[in-house]
Amino acid sequence: MANPFLRRATEYVRDDASFLAIVSPAPLTTFLANSEHKDVMFDLPARVIGEPGTGKTMLATLAEFKMIETILRDLSGQTHKDLAKALAKAGFLSDGRPSIAAVRVPMESGYRDFWELPYDPAIKTKLALWMLQARAVLGLFRNLTANKRRGIDDVKFVAREASEAHLEQMGGATSQGIRDRALEVQKAIQSVVGGLRPPKIENLPTAVTTPYQPFAAIQHIEIEWQKEVIQLKPLVMLDDVHALHPVQREDLFVSLCHREIKIGRWLMMRLDALSPGAVLGTDKQETHNLKRNRDYVDIRMQSNPDGGDKKKQFKKMAMDMANRYLPLVDAMKNKNATEFEALLSSEPPSLPPGKVKELSVGVAKDQEKLKITASRRAEIDKLVADYLTGATSYDKGEEVQLAMSRILLHRYVNRIQHAMPTLFETFDPDPKKPLKADSDVAESARLHLHEAFGRPFHFGVDDLCAASNENAELFLQFAGALVARMEARAIRNQSPVLNASAQQSGLVDKAKAIMNGWSFAYATRIRALVDAMAEECRRASLSPYARYGAGANAIGIPEEEMKDLLKAEEELAVILKHALANGAIGVRRDYGQGGKLWTLIELSGPVCLVYGLTFNRGGFLEKRVAYLRELCGVMP
């Protein structure tokens, strides 16, 4: 069987049962149940936004009513129980019964063709809007009758008050009439869009020109569930809205924000569908006049992982996915290797004795060159030893101690460089700022060891999750590369557990392949940008006295300069938008340091892997917007 980690979950589906066997409930909890908009996301229009691979389509597929009904009809297995629990937390269930009738409507299937029609933009938007409403109604019927437990007449669409005109447009009050009208509209509009030559506006079929607005008429749906009539709130999930023409998408969004529409409306899109200001975190409105959190809400499928809780949430979701996929790899199943984390050794690497001796000699030479006394060296060694004794990290072998001491030796000299020797005593002044051995020095020491001796720097589950940028598909790509190595070992009848060196090699190789495969808008310029940034960060991170603590993996632009850039709406802002939307960089606004506010342009996980940079956040090089313009080849 092909490695399922290397295929998207939605592409691995043969049927509903296969999909439910591998899908993780964690995204429902992470992005919906814990959302600040949970109470209004079924009432107000919601833009569900994320990078490619964050799980938008998977989430929409899982939330469809036919999937929910399949889950609830058989709760004997733990998988279905976990999914039902997550669906309830996200608001799709109430008291163990469905409360939402959701349907996914793919938007990449020809909707952009409407924009090529030779009609007025308002007419083109209206045709697309009527088509998606017809397909949504038909999709709801398919979902509600999918398990053959009810027929079309067992599904009742209940209209909202004062919607008589809309009710007539949608085919009347009977289910058969509503379905027939939707089929008529779909067929008529498809004949206009799919024809070799679009008809003149005056020759459009009557079924096309007659108003059709079921979204404005429907209040809820009634079905029988376990011998009781229940009410369901319809939810239409428009998937891949970014495939539309920008003007078409904007007009469609405004139309779906009308307050008279009572059904749920989710527009699932990539980040690059938004304006640079919206993507890069300003309060600047889009071209419409709608107000966020009043007229609509945004649900981000990728949170800013500043807090430990958010990192833990992603790790939990990632491990759940990995543990569901792993048994599908025959070689791993035969080895009874079903717990992914246990297959990634957390045992720290160690240098050969000869390399440790070479390092020790090098530190002694640095001590002599820097003219540091034996007593000061002993004091520094004790600082390091005391820190490592109490540190929770397992990576604190002899080479780490030596590398930390070397950094503190250079840091000591840097801090006393303005002191003056006296005539009557050994020159060994105390630094103005006391030396300290801490986690940043330890991280920098490991980075120096990686650069000097090739000692593995990135390994273990935490580094794997950090490299994935909270992106489910990116995690699966990295995990898949590691599983391929595990599988090869298992086939050779070896232990599938990967040591630190094998993990580092697999992750770096995959990261290089990912970066080489970038083909999104401005990819060439963005690659030049991140390569130059990463190389400069690497050199800065290797400062002998660890000037940037754990290391640098970002540049900082004064916040006011970033605001001016976004106001000007120049090409550089568009390039940064696409870099962020496609996972090449991260952006942190209003980051305070040194009494100033900065915008941090952070390098993504794959870039940090390729260039051997720390995943610790906060270390940055101070730059100006002109630096970005130069790297991207953009004129001011």
Side-chain angles (χ1 to χ4, degrees):
M1 180 180 290
N3 187 341
F5 286 84
L6 303 180
R7 301 173 66 179
R8 301 177 71 173
T10 47
E11 294 170 352
Y12 191 68
V13 178
R14 293 187 302 272
D15 50 48
D16 292 352
S18 298
F19 176 79
L20 293 175
I22 62 172
V23 71
S24 168
L28 287 166
T29 304
T30 303
F31 301 119
L32 299 183
N34 295 331
S35 171
E36 61 180 315
H37 304 303
K38 179 184 174 182
D39 294 335
V40 298
M41 64 187 182
F42 297 119
D43 299 314
L44 292 177
R47 299 192 303 186
V48 183
I49 306 167
E51 295 177 10
T54 46
K56 300 181 293 298
T57 298
M58 182 276 296
L59 190 65
T61 303
L62 177 60
E64 284 198 293
F65 183 84
K66 64 176 183 177
M67 287 293 187
I68 293 177
E69 186 165 25
T70 299
I71 293 167
L72 294 182
R73 294 293 183 187
D74 181 12
L75 292 175
S76 59
Q78 190 60 46
T79 297
H80 280 202
K81 288 179 181 178
D82 292 342
L83 289 171
K85 185 178 180 180
L87 286 165
K89 288 182 178 180
F92 287 90
L93 306 181
S94 177
D95 297 326
R97 301 179 300 183
S99 57
I100 302 294
V103 60
R104 171 179 169 261
V105 180
M107 297 302 293
E108 77 276 8
S109 55
Y111 285 92
R112 186 156 182 155
D113 293 343
F114 286 91
W115 203 249
E116 308 303 323
L117 294 172
Y119 307 142
D120 183 81
I123 294 176
K124 293 188 287 188
T125 298
K126 191 165 291 186
L127 289 174
L129 182 63
W130 291 354
M131 174 65 97
L132 76 86
Q133 289 183 83
R135 286 179 172 170
V137 169
L138 294 171
L140 285 169
F141 274 117
R142 281 194 302 274
N143 268 269
L144 292 163
T145 60
N147 291 312
K148 303 187 185 304
R149 293 180 178 271
R150 64 186 69 85
I152 292 175
D153 293 333
D154 298 320
V155 178
K156 182 180 179 181
F157 283 80
V158 179
R160 65 182 182 85
E161 294 183 6
S163 62
E164 293 82 1
H166 294 307
L167 184 62
E168 184 177 346
Q169 294 171 10
M170 66 182 286
T174 67
S175 297
Q176 192 65 51
I178 292 171
R179 180 175 179 274
D180 289 346
R181 173 65 172 144
L183 283 169
E184 178 189 31
V185 172
Q186 178 181 248
K187 181 179 179 181
I189 296 179
Q190 189 62 51
S191 69
V192 173
V193 179
L196 292 176
R197 181 178 298 175
K200 294 181 179 180
I201 191 72
E202 61 270 17
N203 295 331
L204 289 174
T206 304
V208 173
T209 57
T210 303
Y212 181 69
Q213 302 179 69
F215 285 4
I218 300 171
Q219 180 75 29
H220 61 262
I221 298 173
E222 291 182 355
I223 64 169
E224 184 180 296
W225 181 269
Q226 297 179 348
K227 298 182 180 181
E228 182 181 352
V229 175
I230 63 172
Q231 292 184 356
L232 302 172
K233 186 179 184 67
L235 169 65
V236 178
M237 301 175 292
L238 307 181
D239 196 13
D240 290 332
V241 175
H242 51 265
L244 301 176
H245 185 280
V247 178
Q248 180 187 29
R249 179 176 60 245
E250 196 78 353
D251 290 346
L252 193 65
F253 176 58
V254 172
S255 298
L256 292 173
C257 285
H258 288 172
R259 295 186 179 184
E260 63 183 24
I261 299 178
K262 300 303 180 183
I263 69 173
R265 294 137 286 164
W266 288 4
L267 292 86
M268 314 187 87
M269 65 182 76
R270 295 180 182 176
L271 271 173
D272 51 14
L274 305 178
S275 69
V279 173
L280 296 171
T282 69
D283 294 327
K284 182 180 181 294
Q285 291 288 335
E286 304 290 318
T287 56
H288 53 71
N289 293 317
L290 301 170
K291 186 175 181 180
R292 186 184 292 114
N293 297 331
R294 183 195 68 185
D295 300 308
Y296 69 96
V297 296
D298 282 345
I299 298 174
R300 293 294 180 106
M301 289 286 286
Q302 198 164 2
S303 57
N304 190 346
D306 288 339
D309 289 343
K310 294 177 181 178
K311 290 182 180 179
K312 290 177 182 177
Q313 286 176 8
F314 179 76
K315 179 180 178 181
K316 180 180 178 182
M317 180 177 73
M319 291 302 101
D320 186 67
M321 290 190 298
N323 289 337
R324 290 173 186 274
Y325 277 47
L326 202 56
L328 301 177
V329 182
D330 291 338
M332 306 305 294
K333 184 179 179 180
N334 294 338
K335 283 282 188 179
N336 198 29
T338 57
E339 186 179 348
F340 183 75
E341 187 169 0
L343 298 172
L344 299 180
S345 174
S346 58
E347 183 179 349
S350 58
L351 293 178
K355 295 294 184 183
V356 175
K357 183 176 181 181
E358 179 184 338
L359 174 61
S360 178
V361 170
V363 176
K365 287 182 178 179
D366 280 6
Q367 177 188 347
E368 181 180 356
K369 179 180 178 181
L370 297 172
K371 297 181 173 54
I372 294 176
T373 64
S375 59
R376 182 64 65 179
R377 167 70 189 274
E379 181 181 322
I380 288 174
D381 287 345
K382 186 176 186 306
L383 281 176
V384 171
D386 289 346
Y387 165 74
L388 290 176
T389 298
T392 57
S393 171
Y394 294 104
D395 191 5
K396 45 188 178 183
E398 183 180 359
E399 64 263 42
V400 175
Q401 296 183 45
L402 287 167
M404 289 181 68
S405 292
R406 174 180 255 171
I407 289 171
L408 292 182
L409 290 174
H410 285 271
R411 190 169 283 188
Y412 168 75
V413 170
N414 186 64
R415 291 183 182 180
I416 66 164
Q417 56 185 336
H418 299 299
M420 297 295 292
T422 65
L423 296 175
F424 304 105
E425 61 181 0
T426 303
F427 185 60
D428 187 26
D430 291 330
K432 284 187 177 181
K433 183 179 178 180
L435 295 176
K436 181 181 179 182
D438 56 19
S439 58
D440 281 351
V441 175
E443 178 77 355
S444 182
R446 297 179 187 113
L447 190 151
H448 280 73
L449 290 170
H450 174 65
E451 178 70 19
F453 299 101
R455 183 181 187 268
F457 184 51
H458 293 126
F459 59 92
V461 167
D462 289 339
D463 277 0
L464 171 59
C465 291
S468 304
N469 296 340
E470 284 199 287
N471 184 302
E473 184 174 317
L474 188 57
F475 167 80
L476 290 175
Q477 288 188 52
F478 281 129
L482 297 179
V483 168
R485 296 188 175 217
M486 297 174 188
E487 185 180 17
R489 291 179 60 84
I491 291 172
R492 299 189 191 103
N493 204 29
Q494 299 173 338
S495 169
V497 177
L498 299 183
N499 61 21
S501 180
Q503 293 177 51
Q504 170 98 50
S505 174
L507 292 174
V508 171
D509 287 349
K510 188 62 181 178
K512 288 178 179 178
I514 289 170
M515 291 180 65
N516 289 337
W518 284 351
S519 59
F520 45 81
Y522 297 99
T524 301
R525 295 200 206 182
I526 290 169
R527 180 64 192 265
L529 168 68
V530 299
D531 282 344
M533 284 175 53
E535 183 57 38
E536 193 163 351
C537 285
R538 188 189 70 82
R539 290 197 300 268
S541 297
L542 295 174
S543 161
Y545 60 93
R547 177 185 176 187
Y548 294 95
N553 56 17
I555 63 168
I557 305 296
E559 180 64 29
E560 288 302 317
E561 287 195 20
M562 181 58 67
K563 288 180 180 178
D564 292 341
L565 171 67
L566 295 175
K567 286 178 184 178
E569 298 184 352
E570 61 177 86
E571 187 181 20
L572 177 59
V574 177
I575 293 174
L576 293 177
K577 178 191 84 166
H578 284 283
L580 175 61
N582 290 281
I585 62 170
V587 174
R588 298 174 76 182
R589 300 295 301 276
D590 296 313
Y591 183 82
Q593 184 164 302
K596 299 179 182 179
L597 289 179
W598 303 86
T599 291
L600 299 193
I601 310 295
E602 300 177 316
L603 294 166
S604 67
V607 181
C608 289
L609 278 174
V610 170
Y611 282 89
L613 303 176
T614 182
F615 289 137
N616 291 10
R617 304 177 74 188
F620 67 95
L621 312 181
E622 297 182 10
K623 298 292 182 180
R624 308 296 292 267
V625 165
Y627 171 82
L628 294 174
R629 288 197 183 100
E630 180 181 354
L631 295 184
C632 293
V634 174
M635 297 296 292

